[in-house]
Amino acid sequence: MPSYEGSDGSPLHYDDVRGGGSGGEKEPIVLLAGGAARHPSYLGDLAGLSERHRLIVPHLRGVGRTAMPHSEERGSFWTQADDIERLRIHLGLQRMVLVAHSAGTRLALAYAAQFTRSVSRLVLITPPAAYLVDEASDTGTISERRHGDSDFEAALTALVAGPQTNDDDGYNAWQQESAPAGYARWGAKERAHAQVGRWSLAATKAYFSVDPPSDLAPRLRQIAAPVLVLAGAEDCLTGLAPVTALARLFPSGIAVVIENSGHYPWVEQPASFREAIDAFLKP
């Protein structure tokens, strides 16, 4: 597995995913997993995106092959932006395309705010947005549409209660218990996907150990690079209204809503997902 040196000298690992098409010869995309602190294997190759693009997928601090940092703050999403900058330099890129999912969008935005000129394009897939916009959450309205779905209602109860554990096994068990809340439907495809990618509890805590600066939203308004925000119309984790509102923060931001999809549109609606992201990334 390839690696590079982080800002503190630690070895940081990443996957280099190349499909069977011409994607391996093109400028790479840096793909950031969410979770937070979930093994990036759950991303797959984003519904075949590696056929057109080389995907560089970091194992973030405390996840997969990359060890936990010596200090918790070093593993925060705000501080790990320094690691992503080191990765850009390691790859020999003047500017780079960042694609991020869920909690990974916090790191992507932290990077874009601190290294604005190093971003050529930014794709935010079902990002949490409540900490950046004033739009009221509509997760309650979306959840009401699933009334009577016993799998969903049990998952939502677990999600609201939160993990009652201090170890990785218990934390991952809670993630599985609450998993149906992340999808628009709970079929065989969704059940299989929910099993992929283990979470690290220690890395999750570290990820949120440093608050972003209070002026983060105004700083994001200065990003000139094109930004695509992808929202799931049935996303009960982030809602829909706050996610689409996030796109309006950016001078060149656009929002695309994937119908009949929850938090994982490349799994639930791969054709619609690829149509949106391919159009945005087209040279």
Side-chain angles (χ1 to χ4, degrees):
M1 174 179 285
S3 64
Y4 67 103
E5 188 175 285
S7 55
D8 62 350
S10 299
L12 306 178
H13 300 273
Y14 62 93
D15 297 320
D16 191 340
V17 183
R18 309 177 192 224
S22 59
E25 302 304 320
K26 294 184 178 180
E27 183 180 48
I29 289 172
V30 174
L31 176 57
L32 303 177
R38 186 176 181 181
H39 193 287
S41 55
Y42 84 94
L43 294 169
D45 68 349
L46 288 190
L49 193 63
S50 66
E51 293 293 326
R52 294 190 179 185
H53 303 274
R54 176 186 172 197
L55 305 180
I56 303 296
V57 190
H59 288 208
L60 302 180
R61 301 273 183 159
V63 177
R65 293 288 301 278
T66 297
M68 279 291 295
H70 295 300
S71 68
E72 190 174 62
E73 292 77 12
R74 178 65 262 175
S76 73
F77 69 83
W78 184 257
T79 308
Q80 286 193 75
D82 291 334
D83 294 335
I84 302 304
E85 175 65 359
R86 289 294 186 104
L87 177 59
R88 179 190 68 80
I89 295 169
H90 168 78
L91 295 171
L93 300 175
Q94 182 177 2
R95 297 196 301 162
M96 64 182 175
V97 179
L98 273 178
V99 177
H101 172 244
S102 190
T105 64
R106 291 179 180 265
L107 174 53
L109 292 175
Y111 180 81
Q114 296 175 69
F115 302 97
T116 306
R117 295 183 179 181
S118 295
V119 178
S120 60
R121 295 189 188 205
L122 188 59
V123 179
L124 308 174
I125 305 169
T126 57
Y131 72 111
L132 291 170
V133 301
D134 294 329
E135 190 76 27
S137 174
D138 53 356
T139 54
T141 301
I142 297 172
S143 296
E144 285 175 6
R145 296 200 286 265
R146 302 281 295 278
H147 181 69
D149 181 334
S150 58
D151 288 326
F152 173 80
E153 291 183 347
L156 189 62
T157 298
L159 190 67
V160 172
Q164 308 297 314
T165 181
N166 288 313
D167 62 76
D168 271 2
D169 287 343
Y171 187 56
N172 278 271
W174 171 76
Q175 293 284 2
Q176 294 303 319
E177 187 180 4
S178 59
Y183 302 87
R185 64 182 299 271
W186 190 233
K189 176 176 62 175
E190 292 77 14
R191 292 170 189 266
H193 177 257
Q195 297 290 325
V196 181
R198 186 172 172 85
W199 285 260
S200 166
L201 180 56
T204 299
K205 292 178 178 178
Y207 197 74
F208 296 105
S209 63
V210 175
D211 292 328
S214 59
D215 66 341
L216 178 57
R219 290 168 70 170
L220 296 178
R221 293 189 181 99
Q222 306 304 312
I223 295 175
V227 179
L228 170 65
V229 179
L230 289 172
E234 305 299 325
D235 192 341
C236 296
L237 302 185
T238 64
L240 175 59
V243 176
T244 55
L246 179 63
R248 297 193 289 272
L249 269 183
F250 308 101
S252 299
I254 58 172
V256 174
V257 178
I258 308 297
E259 299 295 335
N260 301 310
S261 178
H263 202 56
Y264 305 93
W266 71 94
V267 176
E268 301 175 81
Q269 299 296 332
S272 297
F273 172 83
R274 283 296 304 277
E275 181 181 1
I277 198 169
D278 285 347
F280 180 75
L281 295 177
K282 185 177 180 180

